[in-house]
Amino acid sequence: MTSLSPSNPKPPANDCPPNPNNFFALEAYGYQLPEALIAQYPLQRRDQARLMVIDRSRGSIRHDVFANLGRYLPPKTLLIANNSKVVPARLLGRKLKTGGEVEVFLLKPSGDGHSFEALLRPLKKIREGEVMEFGHGVQAVLVDKERRIVKFNRKNVLRHLSAVGHIPLPPYIKRGDEPSDRQDYQTV
């Protein structure tokens, strides 16, 4: 397979993933992608984002832009639109007792209005019962380390995320979140 580089950002039309007949095999999606080709900011004109077009009958890959998606859809295609919203569910704070940095990424609310299942970093250094603070009076306690449940000092903490939360950027974005990300990372 031809390697990609900043001077050669598009693979030739005849390059295709290994075993193109098995698109459910995880190894069919392994490839090297140079960091220089990973956009750190979304395009202002989102319809100009790159679109990879796989022609399974020819075993080929072409590149186009998203604005041309309709050219590749057969008649009577059902296109499902995703209208989900990215919420600032990444909380950066400190342990109240030691001042150590913590990160809490909210996953799923529990039924009590105060608690969430969450990803915590560094989980090994956070003890059950330990208080974490995130600013604006928002605090949480790790109440169940095994199930990763945190309980907040405020009910319906989602209402406070605009003040204390951060947009969770994908790990390949090598920068902190910025105010513009609250709009830029929403579904188009």
Side-chain angles (χ1 to χ4, degrees):
M1 195 173 259
T2 304
S3 64
L4 300 177
S5 70
S7 61
N8 180 26
K10 294 182 180 183
N14 62 356
D15 273 3
C16 60
N19 193 3
N21 295 320
N22 188 359
F23 283 90
F24 295 107
L26 185 58
E27 62 272 5
Y29 297 94
Y31 58 93
Q32 294 293 321
L33 181 60
E35 285 197 29
L37 295 179
I38 301 172
Q40 297 299 301
Y41 293 89
L43 292 174
Q44 286 189 346
R45 289 195 50 208
R46 303 296 280 277
D47 65 341
Q48 294 303 302
R50 289 178 65 188
L51 175 69
M52 182 170 65
V53 181
I54 299 173
D55 185 335
R56 292 190 291 179
S57 65
R58 291 188 176 121
S60 67
I61 295 176
R62 286 192 309 273
H63 294 274
D64 203 338
V65 294
F66 194 79
N68 296 330
L69 176 65
R71 295 179 185 172
Y72 304 103
L73 300 176
K76 298 186 180 183
T77 295
L78 175 63
L79 189 63
I80 306 296
N82 175 358
N83 66 353
S84 62
K85 296 291 181 194
V86 177
V87 297
R90 181 175 176 233
L91 303 174
L92 304 174
R94 298 199 170 274
K95 295 189 280 184
L96 189 61
K97 190 173 183 179
T98 67
E101 293 181 351
V102 294
E103 179 179 343
V104 176
F105 183 38
L106 305 178
L107 298 176
K108 186 168 80 174
S110 69
D112 70 359
H114 286 272
S115 303
F116 275 81
E117 179 182 342
L119 298 175
L120 296 99
R121 189 183 302 173
L123 182 60
K124 289 183 179 181
K125 294 186 178 185
I126 304 171
R127 296 189 177 113
E128 278 190 19
E130 192 156 26
V131 178
M132 300 164 281
E133 58 182 350
F134 304 101
H136 295 271
V138 176
Q139 295 183 338
V141 175
L142 178 58
V143 295
D144 186 332
K145 190 167 187 168
E146 184 176 322
R147 292 177 39 226
R148 300 178 330 271
I149 305 295
V150 293
K151 185 172 185 175
F152 287 89
N153 63 332
R154 296 187 175 182
K155 194 169 186 169
N156 301 320
V157 75
L158 292 174
R159 294 184 310 204
H160 304 282
L161 291 181
S162 62
V164 298
H166 296 264
I167 292 293
L169 298 177
Y172 51 83
I173 302 295
K174 305 295 185 199
R175 63 176 178 81
D177 67 316
E178 299 173 3
S180 61
D181 293 328
R182 291 180 183 240
Q183 180 62 38
D184 291 346
Y185 279 90
Q186 300 306 323
T187 302
V188 179

